[in-house]
Amino acid sequence: MMDMDRTACFRAISTRDARFDGRLFVGVRTTGIYCRPICPARTPKFENVSFYPSAAAAQEAGFRPCLRCRPEVSPELAFWRGTSNTVSRALALIESGGLAGDDVEGLANRLGVGARQLRRLFAQHVGASPVTVAQTRRVLLAKQLIHETTLPMAEVALASGFNSVRRFNETFRDLFGRPPAALRRIRDRGKDGREAGALSVRLAYRPPYDWDAMLAFLAARAIPGVETVSENVYRRSIAIGENCGVISVKPADKNRVDVRVRFPDMAALPQIIARVRRVFDLSADPDTIGAHLALDPALAPLVAARPGLRVPGAWDGFELAVRAIFGQQITVPAATRLLGKLVQAFGDPLPAALRESEGLSHLFPSTARIAGENLATLGMPGARARAVTSLAQAIVADPAIFSRGANLEDAIVKLRSLPGIGEWTAQYIAMRELREPDAFPAADVGLLRALADSDGRRPSPPELLSRAERWRPWRAYAALHLWAAGVQHPALSGKIDAREAA
């Protein structure tokens, strides 16, 4: 277990301090359960509690989740990113199913470390092994689905990542001393998470959250036929494996988002949830990030003005890369219209049962389809059309191109080796698709202009890189704050530098 100040932790649970929700969990030895710091139950005695940095650590210590405060709905915070990038990458891979087979050796190889070292890092920074983290995620997602939906137990097992219903039942009997169906009998029967063929789940985040900025960003880039944003709701078509569906995401009360999923294969639910978290940056800890960036006098007023600013993610790496290449030397609206033409020409239509009145009609074209097409027919420069086709062919040959690797530097080198991807685009993909919190396009004209001195002199890219050292490991968030301060820049409203056309 990680070192934690027992007195400070006990003070947090005694006052039910919401600032610590998601940061610590308390195990109560007299009951065998673990709780969130905001649990409404009577505060246990000091000598009867232990404190843990994650739900997985509490579960590995032998405690079971509280049925009252429900640890499964606490915000998942990425506060450990500042201390271990390897653990951050491993957690992202686990969230997207990278440890489905409990293969720690394979996970460690993807991260460029040994399995023993990875276990040591997890013990130090998370308080639990990688396998326990993956198992705890399955259990807590299953518990949430039991409480919040009317899915049959067999579908709950499948949707939460269990390999078999038998294993699902055994796990819940061992953990709670009762079958999973017994937990459903005590849930709030007024809730129904499956209406009109859709499954609804709620995901928590730590406030503040600048929803206006996030939805405006996504709305400006919504691909016609694939995405829409209206009345504070983001909707899009999705494809995973051979199946397709639609999702909608909207802000809800109590610092959560409502996610509505219509998809035929519930086994894909963990992957869908992971992607929603990525797009909306739900795991960010704005207090930690903001406090660090505010140490720079130039950033302090920007952080104070928009404390809930997040880095918008991407649903799919290929889709984002195509957008970036299409947008080279043209405006965001022009690039979006061109993407609409691409979708109409090469995207598969959604089944009639999934089409919605809000404008969802197609899937974004697959890499296999684009790899064999001549995109110049869309009315774009031939060199750019060939770059997208070559990119699709490269991804068909290596589907793991957009997966997180050992470090940011390696990721940038790998991305820059792809057709049509220059330094700016590589950093942009790292920010939005790979969720690298330290990605930073130092040559971006908007960033250079934002930090011009009183005489109008802009720093050079090397000078900006030197200045940004103090912003590590949150340089991506620093870039968003500088961009959001009203500066015109390629990512938000302008044109990408001509150097990206290579």
Side-chain angles (χ1 to χ4, degrees):
M1 187 187 70
M2 289 173 57
D3 260 345
M4 304 187 76
D5 185 329
R6 283 178 52 81
T7 301
C9 290
F10 190 77
R11 187 182 305 116
I13 68 166
S14 298
T15 59
R16 294 173 176 78
D17 193 334
R19 293 176 301 173
F20 291 87
D21 192 19
R23 297 177 187 270
L24 69 87
F25 296 84
V26 54
V28 184
R29 286 189 286 273
T30 52
T31 62
I33 66 172
Y34 72 90
C35 301
R36 300 159 67 185
I38 62 172
C39 186
R42 186 175 63 181
T43 303
K45 294 181 179 179
F46 182 81
E47 60 269 21
N48 290 335
V49 297
S50 301
F51 298 100
Y52 302 92
S54 66
Q59 203 152 303
E60 188 168 79
F63 295 96
R64 64 183 184 274
C66 177
L67 297 176
R68 190 168 181 181
C69 67
R70 299 182 57 201
E72 70 271 15
V73 298
S74 64
E76 293 188 18
L77 300 181
F79 64 90
W80 48 76
R81 283 179 171 169
T83 54
S84 176
N85 287 328
T86 299
V87 171
S88 170
R89 289 177 173 81
L91 288 166
L93 290 171
I94 290 172
E95 183 180 35
S96 60
L99 202 54
D102 292 350
D103 181 10
V104 178
E105 291 282 352
L107 180 65
N109 287 338
R110 293 178 66 179
L111 296 164
V113 299
R116 183 176 179 180
Q117 181 185 1
L118 185 62
R119 292 188 183 94
R120 179 183 61 78
L121 289 172
F122 264 68
Q124 177 184 351
H125 295 283
V126 184
S129 70
V131 170
T132 299
V133 169
Q135 292 174 341
T136 302
R137 293 188 67 87
R138 288 194 288 269
V139 168
L140 293 183
L141 177 56
K143 188 169 177 288
Q144 182 177 3
L145 295 176
I146 290 170
H147 278 277
E148 297 183 359
T149 77
T150 57
L151 283 176
M153 289 299 155
E155 290 190 39
V156 169
L158 184 68
S160 52
F162 283 89
N163 294 326
S164 70
V165 176
R166 179 179 178 181
R167 177 72 180 275
F168 167 69
N169 287 326
E170 289 175 349
T171 299
F172 271 77
R173 284 186 180 276
D174 291 344
L175 193 58
F176 295 100
R178 69 191 81 176
L183 300 181
R184 172 158 287 172
R185 285 196 290 269
I186 65 172
R187 73 176 180 89
D188 181 356
R189 295 182 180 275
K191 297 177 181 178
D192 188 345
R194 198 173 196 182
E195 299 178 4
L199 173 70
S200 295
V201 294
R202 281 192 167 187
L203 306 178
Y205 61 85
R206 173 166 292 283
Y209 195 115
D210 193 335
W211 280 107
D212 289 342
M214 175 62 75
L215 292 175
F217 185 99
L218 296 174
R221 291 154 187 78
I223 301 172
V226 174
E227 301 171 286
T228 66
V229 179
S230 62
E231 299 179 349
N232 283 340
V233 181
Y234 171 79
R235 299 177 177 87
R236 71 162 294 137
S237 60
I238 63 173
I240 298 176
E242 299 298 320
N243 296 303
C244 66
V246 296
I247 65 164
S248 66
V249 183
K250 66 177 179 180
D253 58 359
K254 298 181 180 178
N255 303 320
R256 301 187 203 175
V257 294
D258 278 331
V259 182
R260 186 171 178 266
V261 181
R262 298 180 66 190
F263 200 79
D265 182 9
M266 280 296 102
L269 184 62
Q271 187 176 350
I272 293 171
I273 289 175
R275 293 196 189 193
V276 170
R277 289 189 184 280
R278 183 174 69 191
V279 170
F280 289 90
D281 200 12
L282 296 182
S283 294
D285 184 349
D287 294 334
T288 298
I289 297 168
H292 181 78
L293 296 181
L295 295 175
D296 188 317
L299 294 182
L302 306 184
V303 173
R306 310 196 84 152
L309 196 64
R310 309 289 173 115
V311 176
W315 181 264
D316 176 77
F318 176 62
E319 179 181 302
L320 178 65
V322 172
R323 169 182 288 284
I325 295 173
F326 272 32
Q328 290 168 1
Q329 301 177 339
I330 61 175
T331 63
V332 168
T336 300
R337 288 192 295 271
L338 189 58
L339 286 164
K341 291 182 180 180
L342 177 77
V343 167
Q344 290 295 323
F346 305 116
D348 291 334
L350 279 175
L354 292 176
R355 297 191 182 192
E356 300 193 2
S357 59
E358 291 83 3
L360 302 184
S361 60
H362 287 74
L363 298 170
F364 192 82
S366 66
T367 54
R369 178 69 186 276
I370 296 301
E373 298 292 346
N374 177 16
L375 303 189
T377 58
L378 298 177
M380 60 188 299
R384 203 169 305 159
R386 288 190 295 273
V388 173
T389 302
S390 298
L391 174 65
Q393 293 168 349
I395 297 172
V396 169
D398 180 9
I401 280 177
F402 292 116
S403 63
R404 296 186 77 171
N407 54 60
L408 172 61
E409 290 72 24
D410 288 350
I412 295 300
V413 170
K414 185 177 182 180
L415 290 171
R416 290 204 61 178
S417 69
L418 297 174
I421 306 297
E423 177 67 19
W424 189 96
T425 307
Q427 294 286 348
Y428 189 57
I429 292 172
M431 290 172 64
R432 296 196 57 198
E433 166 64 15
L434 304 186
R435 305 310 298 155
E436 290 286 355
D438 208 35
F440 190 70
D444 181 84
V445 175
L447 297 180
L448 299 174
R449 184 188 299 120
L451 290 172
D453 61 23
S454 56
D455 295 326
R457 179 189 176 276
R458 303 175 186 176
S460 67
E463 289 172 337
L464 178 57
L465 273 177
S466 177
R467 171 74 177 274
E469 279 297 310
R470 70 184 73 176
W471 304 337
R472 286 183 181 272
W474 311 113
R475 293 186 304 177
Y477 292 87
L480 260 292
H481 276 290
L482 291 169
W483 283 339
V487 179
Q488 298 296 311
H489 64 92
L492 297 182
S493 59
K495 299 179 181 179
I496 293 178
D497 193 288
R499 288 171 294 179
E500 295 304 310

